[in-house]
Structure formats: structure tokens, C-alpha cells
Amino acid sequence: MRLDDVKAQRRAEAEEAAAILGAEIEFFDVGDYPLRVGEAELDRLVDVYRELNPAFVLTHALEDPYNFDHPVAAHLAQEARVIAQAAGHKPDHERRYSAPPVFLFEPHQPEQCNFKPQVILNIDSVWATKQRAFRVLAAQRHLWDYYERVALNRGVQGGRNSGTAMTYGEAYQRLFPMAAEVLS
Amino acid sequence: MRLDDVKAQRRAEAEEAAAILGAEIEFFDVGDYPLRVGEAELDRLVDVYRELNPAFVLTHALEDPYNFDHPVAAHLAQEARVIAQAAGHKPDHERRYSAPPVFLFEPHQPEQCNFKPQVILNIDSVWATKQRAFRVLAAQRHLWDYYERVALNRGVQGGRNSGTAMTYGEAYQRLFPMAAEVLS
Amino acid sequence: MRLDDVKAQRRAEAEEAAAILGAEIEFFDVGDYPLRVGEAELDRLVDVYRELNPAFVLTHALEDPYNFDHPVAAHLAQEARVIAQAAGHKPDHERRYSAPPVFLFEPHQPEQCNFKPQVILNIDSVWATKQRAFRVLAAQRHLWDYYERVALNRGVQGGRNSGTAMTYGEAYQRLFPMAAEVLS
Amino acid sequence: MRLDDVKAQRRAEAEEAAAILGAEIEFFDVGDYPLRVGEAELDRLVDVYRELNPAFVLTHALEDPYNFDHPVAAHLAQEARVIAQAAGHKPDHERRYSAPPVFLFEPHQPEQCNFKPQVILNIDSVWATKQRAFRVLAAQRHLWDYYERVALNRGVQGGRNSGTAMTYGEAYQRLFPMAAEVLS
Amino acid sequence: MRLDDVKAQRRAEAEEAAAILGAEIEFFDVGDYPLRVGEAELDRLVDVYRELNPAFVLTHALEDPYNFDHPVAAHLAQEARVIAQAAGHKPDHERRYSAPPVFLFEPHQPEQCNFKPQVILNIDSVWATKQRAFRVLAAQRHLWDYYERVALNRGVQGGRNSGTAMTYGEAYQRLFPMAAEVLS
Amino acid sequence: MRLDDVKAQRRAEAEEAAAILGAEIEFFDVGDYPLRVGEAELDRLVDVYRELNPAFVLTHALEDPYNFDHPVAAHLAQEARVIAQAAGHKPDHERRYSAPPVFLFEPHQPEQCNFKPQVILNIDSVWATKQRAFRVLAAQRHLWDYYERVALNRGVQGGRNSGTAMTYGEAYQRLFPMAAEVLS
């Protein structure tokens, strides 16, 4: 199979998964073996932050010795997030942007990536949808069961840490301190 | 001044500060140079957890090379929290206890204690009260200004991390992952 | 249920599990909420090391904020291992003891315990036996499925790290450098 | 305001601050949102090291998730420092260069940058001058009080760690072991 | 001496050392003050991996504040190792490649590089050969004794950790968990 | 050999070594397999601190999985150092005590003990004396050469880090930030 066919297929799958999730999706088309990003991609992502003003960011773990594209993507996500807040960057741009919290999702082998779960999100009510989206990715079929087991075990941990049972959980690491009005 | 006088004075100050905060206070009277705790204190604290069923726990940082009583107190607080949840411990005890989240408050020299701020609590609305309570502790007068500066700087950081200004902040480290229904 | 009944039941289960595994088992009977060990237990375990001269040691992780008995047990296992090698300890004792390698087995929430998998052991050929032994522990029934999922996911990781598929794996952290005659 | 105006103003401020401090200043003019440095900047900085043969280097912390230009600048400072010592680099260059110690100054949110204070410098005698220089930077007016509080609290810590009181302190992390003729 | 002469001499030495070791050697000729690698070098190294299908990889430590070329080389070695396994990379390429284990060799100042010895290899039977190869590198004559002492001390440590004496040892850090059929 | 004979011999050696060094020595006689310290030893060491008011403290590394007595000794040294400064401890005691800096000396396998060299002390002028003292310890004869190699290699590192050659060095980790009047 040629590279163009592979890319077309991956794109089609991603669009189908996004539709299931009700998500909008945008492709930067910069390859992943290796992933390299330049000023153009950074500038474009800064604009996305300012346009969307997202409530939070999900990105990859900061280290991953199995997937060298993941830390590059995470770095891009972080650097663009900061530049978007700089008054001096494209100063004419009218905006109400405030740098959002950043959550790192769990990598495949978390301890090798120095990933620390700090939040366990209860995903019981959306599990069926997530599973449907996940199963669109035919090339990663061997990971379906793997990640279902991850979700079940994070769910057990979420229940143990909170005292409130959950069946399916997702673990996240926060990059920044959380500002709070009350402790809980 | 004799030890008994010192202890009586510290106790009186602590009670006065607690009254200002609207807090109940209980003394284990086990000394602090050095602080050593045994089975009796552990057992007593387990009972406190079961009786109060607290929504959260505040304790010291896990390491502190300046204050050897702090990690001992933090260890006691943690171990009692876990035993209180053990079905096998005093099984007749009727209870509805669930091990609560634990927050470590900021030590005097945070980097030397490997303290990591993960939550910055906005304390603007209670700052005046906190300050009143703090100033009861005459023996720590040299720390009043120090900790006001800490609160002001954590407040600035809280604002920078959230985009919502606060004047006074308190930094906490969480010991356990936080279970969440939504990301924020 | 009284404490004696609980202990008798746990002991019976442990013996049954040991029999399935073909293991010898010995109880120190020192409680676990809290676990406290003194000179007598240390001395006894030193003797066990010298008598058995084990090829390796399996013990708990060095940190565990959910189970305060685990690090205490791991510390005892380590300290006894070292003392057993000291020529000055019970010098009349004839022996051929050499301090063995130490492996930490995976705790329930590995990242919270700073556990790092350094070895993934292929347990495919013994999985059925392990499962049978595990299921004897009726009080931990809620963990059966949990640990089966852990074993399956560690198996996937073992395959990914070595290029040789395994179905069930166990993750271990080594406490000491491994001496080797060849790299592999 | 256009970028050129911003840059001209920042440059004027920096020159005014440098004059107050009695420092020479040189601009590489490579932007900071984002900061990217190439071979030309590296080569130029190597020459600066060889020409000045500085007694020590001050640079940014190695990590800073709030300021992506800081670690880039710190990396450049370090790499140039090493190349300047390489005999093979521009071998005709006559020189007496020896790679100097490196000190990292305190970032805005030190714990988030894994910054560890290892030296606390007493700046009492130069505080008034530092403050004057700092106040030139009108764009960072909100940080004046912040950093005065930092200096006061580091001063308290300096006194606590040494037993000799200081009012204003600056915290530094050392990148390399310090060679010493006596312990103190 | 001009750069070309230096390079010719280093190349001759490296070839002579390789001949002593019975190793094949290939030069990428990309400089080292500074070392920068691009897509061409990455692609070339991916091909090497696929062609050789090595049993293991030796590379530099992940951090080294004294040698900025070392982490760059280690990163290249790692990234190419992963891409070589990607089915989508040059899909026509027939191959039987499986990503090999990675060992980091000991840097000059191991603690400053966060290097952790996890394997100590007994090199007694090849020490004479290693020494002969090492001594070819005339420019590093001051390091001959240094590294002989390192080898002797790692040998002592290897003996202490295993109970089996060795005279000369080499310390390695593993990048990935080791899959094992038995514990030892 | 009986324990009493072993102890008498170790004591004689230690006294002889101390005489060579011109040091005063005091034995607490609390054993080392295992080393356990109680209130009496702590209280006694507090008095020593107050009486001597030392300029600095040398003690063991904070972790050592090969020598369980070392971290216990280091903890005692630290806790006594802090209590000696407490105004409330034996308040009648007239004194001019100020808690001194603490230096950890290098353990046998530094990376396994998370030891970080922060100071490299030039010991060229006292090496002959140190060696003479060291050689008194007949039971550690196998370590003489080992530690000479350590000293030579730390000396090389000291020279590399400072640009000033030294032949023999000793590496230390500092426990607390160093207060300084100038950077160097």
C-alpha cells in the first residue's frame, strides 16, 4: 500500500471516529515517522487556540520512548498555548483568550513515560460511545481489548481513591496547578 | 521557662486560634522535639477518623529536613486514615467511613521538601480570619510577614494558572488521584 | 467475626494457595493494621535467609500510600537479607549464604508507588496454576478480574518490549544492578 | 503597537537597566514567541565566551512550562559554554578560556520548573540598585512586588540555612559540582 | 591543525580501534561541535537497523551537560530504532526487523547525567582487547587510566551485587523492561 | 571470634585512625546489625552538638540499600542537629549553637543511593594522612584500592568541573542551600 493510500485511510477513520464523538477535526498533515513541526504549524495552532478559546487541552505525555511523535505533539500543544496568550503576538487580533488547563492522557506504557495519574475521570456514561469510536480504528484492533482493560482497571482505582464506584475510568496527568475555590 | 509553662502557653494559643477559625481542637500531647507516636496514638486517631468521617485531611509534607516532627505527623495521619477503612479493625464498630482525600500544606522551604503545588486555593474571603488566627501565635511572630508574602505570591500564581485573579492563595499537594465527573 | 476467626481463615486460605503453588509457607503472625516488626522477627528472618540461601527474593514495593504494611515488609526483607551476609552476625553459624537479587512485585496502583517495571516475566505456562491459587483468596474476590487484566496487559507490554509474544506477564522492579556475562 | 515598536521599547528598557547595573549588554535579536536559535547564534555566543572568559554564567532554569523561550536560552548558554572549550573549534583562536560554573536563576513558579535552590546569595548591599533596574521594566510592573516578596522570603531562608541573617536573597541552582579547597 | 586533518586522524584511529575489536564501522560525518542531525541521517540509520537487525543497541546516556552531542546521538539512535519497526515506513522493504533492547553506556560523570547502572557486564575475558582498542585513541590518553579505574570499580560492584567475583565490569542502563522466561 | 572481641578490635582500629587524623572520637556502642537508636542516643548527640557547635557535619547518604545502618545514622545526625537548635529543649542550657551545614559523604555505590556530588573537595594535601588512617582498618583491606580509585577519579572530575587540576578528590552532597556573599 502506498503512503497516500495509508494516509487517506487513516484520515477517513479519524473523521468517522470524530463524527461518532460529535467532534470537529482538523488535520495538519505533517507525517509521524518522524513528526517534525515548524513555524507554520506553530502559528496555525496559535490561531486555533485564539479562535476556539478551549476550556481545556488534552495532549500526549511529555516523554514516550516508544512513540517519538507524541512528545513533539505535546510540546507543540504547550508552546502554542503560551504564545496564544502573548499580547505581543499578532497584536491586532481581537480576542478573549486565556491559557487553558492541560491534561495529558495515559500512554501505552505509563511508567516508562513517567506518567502520573492525578485525575481519574468517570466515563461510564460515555463508554459505549468511546468504544464505538475506538473500534473504527481498524489498524489498532489489537489495542481494543487492551484499552478496555485499562479503562476497567482505572475505574477500579477511581473508586478506590474516591469511595464512589465507577466502572470505566480514564487517567490524566495535570500539567499545572489547579486553582480552586474549595478543597474536595 | 519550664516545659510545662511552654506547653500550657502553646495550648492556650492554639485554642484561641481554633476559636477564631471556628474549629474544634484536640491535643495528643506527645511532644515534638522529638515527636514519637506509638500504637495508642495511632489507635486514637483511627477512632477520630471513624467518628468524624472527614471530607478531607490536611497534613504536613512527606519530607522536611528542617522539621523532623512534620513527616512523622504526616505518616501518622496517613496510616490512621487507611486503618480506619479496614473492615478487620474493631469490626463491631458501626460506621460509614470512607478514606478521604489528603492535602499536604506548604512547608516553609517547599523545594527542600520536594513539595509540589497541585492545587492553589483562593482564600481571599477568609484571609482576614486566617491572619487573625495566625497572629495569636506570638512565638512565631517572625513568620507572620513571611507567610503573608507566601499567600500573596501563591495568589498571583493561582491567577496565572487559572486566568481568574485571586489576591491570597494557599498551595496544596494532593496525595492521591482525584476522581472527577468532568475535566476542568 | 472476631479477629482470631479472621486470622484462622486467612491462614487456611494462604496454606491452601501455597499447596497449589507447591510452596512452603511460614507465618510470623505480627498483624497488619498496623504491621510492626521488632528484633525477634528480624533475627528470625535472617535465619531463614541463611537456611534457605534463596536464589532470589520477591517482596513489596518500597512505597505504598494505600498499604502501610507493604513498605514495612519490604524493609524487613531487605534488612534481613543484608544482615544474613554479615560475617559478624552469629559467627558460629556455618553457611554458604550470598545475598540474593531482590524483585519487587507490582502494587495495586503502580504509579502512586513509584514502581518501575524493569522485568516482565512470561507466566503463560503457569497462569492456570496462579489463577487457581489466587481464587482461593475469597476475601479478595473483587481483585480476581482486576489482576487478570493486569497480567494480560503486562503480557502485551512484554511482547512489545521483546518482539516475542506472551499472553500473561508479571512486572517486576529490580532493586540492584544485575551482573551479566552477555548483554541481551 | 507594531512589533518593531515593542522591540525598540524593550531594548531601550534593557539598556537603561543595564546602565543602572553597570553591565554591558548585547542583543541577539532572535525573537521570543517563539525563540529559535541556529548555528549563527551558537557560533556568536561561543566567541563571546572565549572573548570574555566569564567567572560564572547566569541563565534560566532547564524546564519552564510557562516560558518556552527560557529552556531554549539555557540550552544555548550551556552548549556554547562547552564548545568554547573544545580545542578543535576554531583552533587558531588564541585563548585562555576555561568553562565557567553555571547558575540558574529562580523562575517565576519554581516547583513547576523542578528548580532546586542550592545557593542563596545575600543581596542586601545591592538591593536598592537591583530594584531601580527592575523598575525600569514597565511592562512587568505587576511583577515588581512579586519579586520583592520573593527576595524577602529567600532572605529569610538564607538566614535560616546559615544562621547569619540577611534581608534580601536570591536563590540559585548550580548545574555542576563545585570544586572546593575547604568545606563550609 | 586544520579541521580536515583532525577529522582524518580521528577516523583513522576509530578504524584501527574497530579492527582490533573485530567491528565494522560506518561514519555519518556530521560534526560534533555541535552535532546536528537531519532527515537524511535519520533515514540512513533506519536503513541500517533494518539491514542489520541488531540483537541490541549501545548508545549514550539520555542527558549529559558536559557533552551536548551525546544526547543528540542517543535520541537519533532511539528514534531510528522505532521508525525501523513502523510498517508504514518504506513499506516495500522486505525485512524481519524487531526493535532491539537499548543499553546506555556509562558517561564520564554518571550522577550528573542521571545515569543508573542496571546491568554490570563482566568483561574480564575481553579486557585486554578493550584496552588495546582504547589506547589507539591518542587524543584521549588522559582518560585511559580513568576508565581502567572505572572498570575495576564497576567490577567490584558487580561482584558485590551478584556474589560472583569479576575484575573488570562495564555498567549499563536499560531503556526498556527486559522480557524474561525466568527470574535470575 | 566473639562479638566482644570484634567490637574491641574495631574500637582499637577506630581510635588509631582517629589519632592519625588528629580527631577526637566518641563511641555510642549501639551495634550495627541492626543499628537502632533511641531517645538516649538522640539526647546525647544533641548535647554533643551544643557543646561542640561544629562548623559542619559529615554523615552518610540518606539512602543505602546495601547498608541499613547508614541512613539510620544520617537520620540521627540530622534530627539531633535540629533539636539542638530548639529553644524549648533543655532551656537552661547556656549556648551559642547554630545548626551547621550538612555534607553527605560518598557511599560505596553512589547511583544506587541517589547520591549526587555537589561539592568536590581537593584533598591532595591530606591524601597521605587519609591513606594512613584508612589502612588501619584491616577488615576493609579489600576497599583500600577501591577508594583510592574513587579519590583519583573524583579528582579528575574536580579538575574538569573547575578548570583547576587536583589529583585526589572527595565528593559530597549538600543537604541544605549554601548561603553566599558572592557567586563562585
Side-chain angles (χ1 to χ4, degrees):
Chain A
M1 199 187 283
R2 290 171 319 116
L3 184 59
D4 279 356
D5 295 333
V6 172
K7 285 172 63 173
Q9 184 183 313
R10 297 291 295 264
R11 172 189 279 260
E13 285 173 356
E15 281 171 337
E16 188 183 340
I20 291 171
L21 297 171
E24 224 174 304
I25 193 166
E26 186 176 334
F27 299 90
F28 275 42
D29 193 25
V30 282
D32 63 354
Y33 286 112
L35 175 62
R36 296 291 183 266
V37 291
E39 302 308 285
E41 286 79 22
L42 179 59
D43 190 69
R44 180 174 165 191
L45 190 55
V46 169
D47 288 349
V48 171
Y49 273 107
R50 287 187 165 180
E51 194 182 312
L52 289 187
N53 193 23
F56 56 82
V57 183
L58 301 187
T59 188
H60 283 290
L62 302 190
E63 303 173 43
D64 194 330
Y66 302 97
N67 299 285
F68 282 78
D69 48 332
H70 292 191
V72 172
H75 189 278
L76 178 71
Q78 286 184 81
E79 190 172 22
R81 168 188 172 273
V82 169
I83 293 177
Q85 195 166 36
H89 178 82
K90 294 186 185 171
D92 306 331
H93 218 284
E94 189 178 352
R95 73 220 153 75
R96 46 175 187 91
Y97 173 80
S98 172
V102 179
F103 296 88
L104 309 180
F105 41 77
E106 177 168 355
H108 187 265
Q109 298 190 41
E111 299 95 343
Q112 309 303 318
C113 304
N114 289 321
F115 176 82
K116 291 285 175 194
Q118 294 173 342
V119 175
I120 299 182
L121 183 69
N122 183 343
I123 57 167
D124 286 356
S125 64
V126 296
W127 170 253
T129 309
K130 171 171 175 167
Q131 196 176 38
R132 217 152 28 97
F134 205 93
R135 297 201 166 187
V136 168
L137 305 169
Q140 312 211 330
R141 179 178 300 236
H142 58 292
L143 293 176
W144 295 355
D145 290 345
Y146 185 90
Y147 281 113
E148 175 154 12
R149 292 190 296 260
V150 168
L152 284 164
N153 281 10
R154 291 299 184 195
V156 172
Q157 292 177 8
R160 294 269 290 240
N161 279 296
S162 67
T164 306
M166 62 174 81
T167 302
Y168 295 99
E170 279 175 354
Y172 291 98
Q173 181 174 331
R174 297 185 71 106
L175 263 196
F176 299 102
M178 174 188 183
E181 298 295 316
V182 292
L183 292 181
S184 69
Chain B
M1 199 187 286
R2 290 173 319 116
L3 184 60
D4 279 356
D5 295 332
V6 172
K7 284 172 64 173
Q9 184 183 315
R10 297 290 295 266
R11 172 188 279 259
E13 286 172 356
E15 281 171 338
E16 188 183 340
I20 291 171
L21 296 171
E24 223 174 306
I25 193 166
E26 186 176 334
F27 298 91
F28 274 42
D29 193 26
V30 283
D32 63 352
Y33 287 112
L35 174 62
R36 295 291 183 267
V37 289
E39 302 309 285
E41 285 80 20
L42 180 60
D43 190 67
R44 179 172 166 191
L45 189 55
V46 169
D47 288 348
V48 172
Y49 272 108
R50 287 187 165 180
E51 193 183 312
L52 290 186
N53 193 23
F56 56 81
V57 183
L58 301 188
T59 188
H60 283 291
L62 302 191
E63 303 172 44
D64 193 330
Y66 302 97
N67 299 284
F68 282 78
D69 48 332
H70 292 190
V72 172
H75 189 278
L76 177 72
Q78 286 184 80
E79 190 172 22
R81 168 188 172 274
V82 169
I83 293 177
Q85 195 166 36
H89 178 82
K90 296 186 185 172
D92 305 331
H93 219 283
E94 190 177 351
R95 74 217 151 77
R96 49 178 182 86
Y97 173 80
S98 171
V102 178
F103 296 88
L104 310 181
F105 39 78
E106 178 169 354
H108 186 265
Q109 298 191 42
E111 299 95 342
Q112 309 303 318
C113 304
N114 288 322
F115 176 83
K116 290 286 175 193
Q118 294 172 343
V119 176
I120 299 182
L121 183 69
N122 183 344
I123 57 166
D124 286 357
S125 64
V126 295
W127 170 253
T129 309
K130 172 172 175 166
Q131 196 176 35
R132 215 151 31 96
F134 205 94
R135 296 199 166 188
V136 169
L137 305 169
Q140 313 211 330
R141 180 178 299 236
H142 58 292
L143 293 177
W144 295 355
D145 290 345
Y146 185 90
Y147 281 113
E148 174 154 12
R149 291 190 296 259
V150 168
L152 284 164
N153 280 10
R154 291 299 184 193
V156 172
Q157 292 177 9
R160 293 269 290 239
N161 279 296
S162 66
T164 306
M166 63 174 82
T167 302
Y168 295 99
E170 279 175 353
Y172 292 98
Q173 181 173 333
R174 296 185 71 105
L175 263 196
F176 299 103
M178 173 189 185
E181 298 296 315
V182 292
L183 293 180
S184 69
Chain C
M1 201 187 284
R2 288 172 320 118
L3 184 58
D4 280 354
D5 296 332
V6 172
K7 285 171 64 173
Q9 184 183 313
R10 297 291 295 264
R11 172 188 280 258
E13 286 173 354
E15 282 170 339
E16 188 182 341
I20 291 171
L21 297 171
E24 224 175 304
I25 193 167
E26 186 178 333
F27 299 91
F28 275 42
D29 193 26
V30 283
D32 64 350
Y33 286 113
L35 175 62
R36 295 289 183 267
V37 290
E39 302 308 286
E41 285 79 21
L42 179 60
D43 190 67
R44 180 173 166 190
L45 190 54
V46 169
D47 288 348
V48 171
Y49 272 107
R50 288 187 165 181
E51 194 182 311
L52 290 185
N53 193 23
F56 56 81
V57 183
L58 302 188
T59 188
H60 283 291
L62 303 190
E63 304 172 45
D64 193 330
Y66 302 97
N67 298 285
F68 282 80
D69 48 333
H70 292 192
V72 172
H75 189 277
L76 178 70
Q78 287 184 80
E79 190 172 23
R81 168 188 172 274
V82 169
I83 293 177
Q85 195 166 37
H89 178 82
K90 295 188 185 171
D92 305 330
H93 218 284
E94 190 178 352
R95 74 216 152 75
R96 44 174 190 90
Y97 172 80
S98 172
V102 179
F103 296 89
L104 309 181
F105 38 78
E106 177 168 352
H108 187 265
Q109 297 191 41
E111 300 95 344
Q112 309 303 318
C113 304
N114 288 322
F115 176 83
K116 291 284 176 194
Q118 293 172 343
V119 176
I120 298 182
L121 183 70
N122 182 343
I123 57 167
D124 285 357
S125 64
V126 297
W127 170 253
T129 309
K130 171 171 175 165
Q131 196 177 36
R132 216 151 29 95
F134 205 94
R135 296 201 167 187
V136 169
L137 305 170
Q140 311 210 332
R141 181 179 298 239
H142 58 293
L143 293 177
W144 296 355
D145 290 345
Y146 185 90
Y147 281 112
E148 176 155 12
R149 290 188 298 259
V150 168
L152 284 164
N153 281 10
R154 291 299 185 194
V156 172
Q157 292 177 7
R160 295 268 291 238
N161 279 295
S162 67
T164 306
M166 64 174 80
T167 303
Y168 295 99
E170 279 175 354
Y172 292 98
Q173 181 174 333
R174 295 185 72 105
L175 262 196
F176 300 102
M178 173 188 184
E181 298 296 315
V182 292
L183 293 180
S184 68
Chain D
M1 200 187 284
R2 289 172 319 117
L3 184 58
D4 280 355
D5 296 332
V6 171
K7 284 172 63 173
Q9 183 184 315
R10 297 291 295 264
R11 172 188 280 259
E13 286 172 356
E15 282 171 338
E16 187 182 341
I20 291 171
L21 297 171
E24 223 175 305
I25 193 167
E26 185 177 333
F27 299 91
F28 275 42
D29 193 25
V30 282
D32 64 351
Y33 285 114
L35 174 62
R36 295 290 183 268
V37 289
E39 302 309 286
E41 285 78 22
L42 179 60
D43 190 67
R44 180 173 166 191
L45 190 54
V46 169
D47 288 348
V48 172
Y49 272 107
R50 288 187 164 181
E51 194 182 310
L52 290 186
N53 192 24
F56 56 82
V57 183
L58 301 188
T59 187
H60 283 291
L62 303 191
E63 303 171 45
D64 193 331
Y66 302 97
N67 298 285
F68 282 79
D69 48 332
H70 292 192
V72 171
H75 189 277
L76 178 71
Q78 287 185 80
E79 190 172 24
R81 168 189 172 274
V82 169
I83 293 177
Q85 195 166 36
H89 178 82
K90 295 186 184 171
D92 306 328
H93 218 284
E94 190 179 351
R95 74 219 151 75
R96 46 174 189 89
Y97 173 80
S98 172
V102 179
F103 296 89
L104 309 180
F105 38 79
E106 177 169 352
H108 186 265
Q109 298 191 42
E111 299 96 343
Q112 308 304 318
C113 304
N114 289 321
F115 175 83
K116 291 285 176 193
Q118 294 173 343
V119 176
I120 299 182
L121 183 70
N122 183 343
I123 57 166
D124 286 357
S125 63
V126 296
W127 170 254
T129 309
K130 171 171 175 166
Q131 196 177 37
R132 216 151 30 96
F134 205 94
R135 296 202 167 185
V136 168
L137 305 169
Q140 312 209 333
R141 179 178 299 238
H142 58 293
L143 292 177
W144 295 355
D145 290 345
Y146 185 90
Y147 281 112
E148 176 155 12
R149 290 189 298 260
V150 168
L152 285 164
N153 281 10
R154 290 300 185 193
V156 172
Q157 292 178 9
R160 295 269 290 237
N161 280 294
S162 66
T164 306
M166 64 174 82
T167 303
Y168 295 98
E170 279 175 354
Y172 291 99
Q173 181 174 332
R174 296 185 73 104
L175 262 197
F176 299 102
M178 173 188 185
E181 298 296 316
V182 292
L183 292 181
S184 68
Chain E
M1 199 187 283
R2 289 173 318 119
L3 184 58
D4 279 355
D5 295 332
V6 172
K7 284 172 63 173
Q9 184 184 313
R10 297 291 296 265
R11 171 188 281 258
E13 286 173 355
E15 281 170 339
E16 189 183 339
I20 291 171
L21 297 170
E24 222 174 306
I25 193 166
E26 186 177 334
F27 298 91
F28 274 43
D29 193 27
V30 283
D32 62 352
Y33 286 112
L35 174 62
R36 295 290 183 267
V37 290
E39 301 309 285
E41 286 79 22
L42 179 60
D43 190 67
R44 181 174 165 190
L45 189 55
V46 169
D47 287 349
V48 173
Y49 272 107
R50 287 187 165 182
E51 194 182 311
L52 291 184
N53 193 23
F56 55 82
V57 183
L58 301 188
T59 189
H60 282 291
L62 303 190
E63 304 172 43
D64 193 330
Y66 302 96
N67 298 285
F68 282 79
D69 48 332
H70 292 191
V72 171
H75 189 278
L76 177 71
Q78 287 184 80
E79 190 172 24
R81 169 189 171 272
V82 168
I83 293 177
Q85 195 166 38
H89 178 82
K90 295 186 185 169
D92 305 330
H93 219 284
E94 190 178 349
R95 74 217 152 77
R96 49 180 182 87
Y97 173 81
S98 172
V102 179
F103 296 89
L104 309 180
F105 40 78
E106 177 168 354
H108 187 266
Q109 298 191 41
E111 300 95 343
Q112 308 304 318
C113 304
N114 289 321
F115 176 82
K116 291 285 176 195
Q118 293 173 344
V119 176
I120 299 182
L121 183 70
N122 182 343
I123 57 167
D124 286 356
S125 63
V126 295
W127 171 252
T129 310
K130 171 170 176 169
Q131 197 176 34
R132 216 152 29 95
F134 206 93
R135 295 199 167 188
V136 169
L137 305 169
Q140 313 211 331
R141 182 177 298 236
H142 58 292
L143 292 176
W144 295 355
D145 290 346
Y146 185 90
Y147 281 113
E148 177 156 10
R149 291 189 297 260
V150 167
L152 285 164
N153 280 10
R154 290 300 185 194
V156 172
Q157 292 177 9
R160 295 268 292 238
N161 279 296
S162 66
T164 306
M166 63 173 82
T167 302
Y168 295 99
E170 279 175 354
Y172 291 99
Q173 180 173 334
R174 296 186 72 105
L175 261 196
F176 299 102
M178 172 188 185
E181 297 296 315
V182 291
L183 293 181
S184 70
Chain F
M1 200 186 286
R2 289 172 320 118
L3 184 59
D4 279 355
D5 296 331
V6 172
K7 285 171 63 173
Q9 185 185 312
R10 297 292 295 267
R11 172 189 279 258
E13 286 173 355
E15 281 169 340
E16 188 183 340
I20 291 170
L21 297 171
E24 223 175 307
I25 193 167
E26 185 177 334
F27 299 91
F28 275 43
D29 194 27
V30 283
D32 62 352
Y33 286 113
L35 174 62
R36 295 289 184 268
V37 289
E39 302 308 286
E41 286 78 23
L42 179 60
D43 189 67
R44 180 174 165 189
L45 190 54
V46 169
D47 287 349
V48 172
Y49 272 106
R50 287 187 166 181
E51 194 183 311
L52 290 184
N53 193 23
F56 55 81
V57 183
L58 301 188
T59 189
H60 283 292
L62 303 191
E63 303 173 44
D64 193 331
Y66 301 98
N67 299 284
F68 282 79
D69 47 332
H70 292 192
V72 172
H75 189 277
L76 178 70
Q78 288 185 80
E79 190 172 23
R81 169 188 171 273
V82 169
I83 293 177
Q85 194 165 37
H89 178 82
K90 296 187 186 171
D92 304 330
H93 219 286
E94 190 179 349
R95 73 216 152 76
R96 47 178 185 89
Y97 173 81
S98 171
V102 179
F103 296 89
L104 309 181
F105 39 78
E106 177 168 352
H108 187 265
Q109 297 190 42
E111 300 95 342
Q112 309 303 320
C113 304
N114 289 321
F115 175 83
K116 290 285 174 194
Q118 293 172 343
V119 176
I120 299 182
L121 184 69
N122 183 343
I123 57 166
D124 286 356
S125 63
V126 297
W127 170 253
T129 309
K130 171 171 176 167
Q131 197 176 36
R132 214 150 32 94
F134 205 93
R135 295 199 167 188
V136 169
L137 305 169
Q140 312 209 332
R141 180 179 299 237
H142 58 291
L143 293 177
W144 296 354
D145 290 345
Y146 186 90
Y147 281 112
E148 176 155 10
R149 291 189 296 261
V150 168
L152 284 164
N153 281 9
R154 291 301 185 193
V156 172
Q157 292 177 9
R160 294 269 290 240
N161 279 296
S162 67
T164 306
M166 63 173 81
T167 303
Y168 295 99
E170 279 174 354
Y172 291 98
Q173 180 173 333
R174 297 186 72 105
L175 262 196
F176 299 102
M178 173 189 185
E181 298 295 316
V182 292
L183 292 181
S184 69

